[in-house]
Amino acid sequence: MNIDFSGKVAIITGAAHGFGRMIALGFAQRGATVHICDVNDTGLAETAELCGPAATAHHLDVSDRAAVQTTVAKIIADHGTVDILVNNAGGVRGQVGRPIEEITEAEWQTIFDVNLSGAFFMTQAVAPAMKTAKYGRVINISSGAGLGISLTGIQAYAAAKAGQIGLTRQLAHELGAWNITVNNVAPGFVRSNPTTERQWEAMGADGQAKLIQNIALKRLGTPEDIAHMVLFFASDYAGWISGQIISVDGGK
C-alpha cells in the first residue's frame, strides 16, 4: 500500500512530541505540507526540524477559539485550503486521579477545553474551506479512556474523550455531504511523552506487568503505531470510511 500526500496541506495539533510529532513526520515524509501547532515552542521547533522544509510551526492554544480562527485563516490564505486536520492536542494538564469531591471547577474545565473544545474549534475553522473544496479528512485522537475508563482515574479526561468520540460521529454525518470524512483513533497506553512516562513509573513493576498482561499482543505500542492509523484514515484508501472509532491498543 503506497500512501502519498503530495500536494496536500495538513494541520496537526499537539505536535511538540509523542503522537503529534510522529504523525507530522509521517505526513511530511509522504509529501504533504504540514502545519504543526502546539503551546510547547521548544518541542515544536524540534518537530519542525525533524520534518524539514515541509513544516511550518505555529504557537497555538487550541482552546482559544479566536487564536484558532486566526491561525487557520492564515494557513488557508497561504494555500487556498486545508485538506487534512488531525486533532491530537489533549492530555490531562498535569492532573492525577483523585476522588470526585476533590476536583475543582477549573481542573474539570481545563481538560475539556483542550481535549474536546479544541477539537471542535479546529474543525469549525477548517470546515468552510473543506466544504468549498468538497474534500477533507478530519482525524481525532481520543483514547481508550473515552471508550472505557481512565487508567489513572481522571474523570474529566474519560468524559472529554468520550465526548470527542460523540463529536466525531456527529460531524461525520454533518460534513459527509461535502466529501469530508471524520474518524477517530483511540490509542491504548503508549509511552510517548513525559506525562505517560510518569504514569508508567507510578504503576510500579506489578502494575506494569498487569497492564501488559491485559494486552492481547503482550506488549506496549509505539507512537508509530498510532501514526500509521492516522495516515490510513487520511489516505484515499479510507475514502468511504467515516464516523468510525478504531482502537489501536494491541487488542483487548
Side-chain angles (χ1 to χ4, degrees):
M1 183 181 292
N2 181 26
I3 295 178
D4 182 74
F5 296 107
S6 297
K8 300 296 187 185
V9 178
I11 299 176
I12 301 96
T13 68
H17 52 57
F19 299 158
R21 174 174 291 177
M22 198 55 59
I23 291 165
L25 187 59
F27 279 112
Q29 290 172 336
R30 290 163 179 81
T33 297
V34 295
H35 288 267
I36 54 176
C37 307
D38 209 299
V39 295
N40 178 347
D41 292 325
T42 300
L44 201 59
E46 293 170 355
T47 301
E49 185 175 356
L50 288 170
C51 291
T56 301
H58 304 267
H59 179 94
L60 179 62
D61 178 354
V62 297
S63 68
D64 182 340
R65 184 180 183 275
V68 166
Q69 290 284 331
T70 298
T71 299
V72 172
K74 184 180 185 305
I75 294 169
I76 292 171
D78 289 343
H79 301 286
T81 192
V82 171
D83 301 291
I84 300 157
L85 168 64
V86 182
N87 286 311
N88 173 68
V92 299
R93 293 286 179 101
Q95 296 184 41
V96 296
R98 289 178 293 139
I100 186 172
E101 59 268 26
E102 296 181 12
I103 309 303
T104 68
E105 180 180 355
E107 289 167 336
W108 171 267
Q109 190 60 52
T110 191
I111 288 179
F112 268 80
D113 288 344
V114 66
N115 289 280
L116 183 53
S117 296
F120 177 81
F121 293 153
M122 290 296 301
T123 309
Q124 185 181 50
V126 303
M130 286 185 173
K131 285 182 175 181
T132 298
K134 291 185 169 54
Y135 179 90
R137 298 282 191 268
V138 178
I139 302 101
N140 296 322
I141 309 299
S142 61
S143 169
L147 294 167
I149 62 169
S150 166
L151 291 176
T152 52
I154 301 173
Q155 304 89 345
Y157 185 72
K161 289 303 191 183
Q164 193 195 74
I165 288 170
L167 180 67
T168 297
R169 294 185 173 120
Q170 188 66 36
L171 292 181
H173 281 268
E174 178 177 342
L175 300 176
W178 288 274
N179 192 34
I180 301 167
T181 66
V182 187
N183 290 293
N184 194 295
V185 179
F189 185 83
V190 178
R191 296 170 64 184
S192 61
N193 57 52
T195 297
T196 53
E197 282 301 312
R198 287 193 296 270
Q199 291 170 343
W200 176 253
E201 292 301 323
M203 291 178 193
D206 290 345
Q208 293 167 4
K210 181 178 180 181
L211 174 65
I212 292 173
Q213 187 59 36
N214 287 335
I215 298 172
L217 290 175
K218 308 305 180 193
R219 63 176 176 84
L220 296 181
T222 67
E224 288 89 344
D225 292 317
I226 309 307
H228 291 161
M229 190 67 240
V230 172
L231 295 170
F232 172 73
F233 270 147
S235 75
D236 290 340
Y237 293 100
W240 205 48
I241 301 173
S242 197
Q244 299 306 303
I245 296 85
I246 300 295
S247 296
V248 182
D249 59 8
K252 295 292 186 181

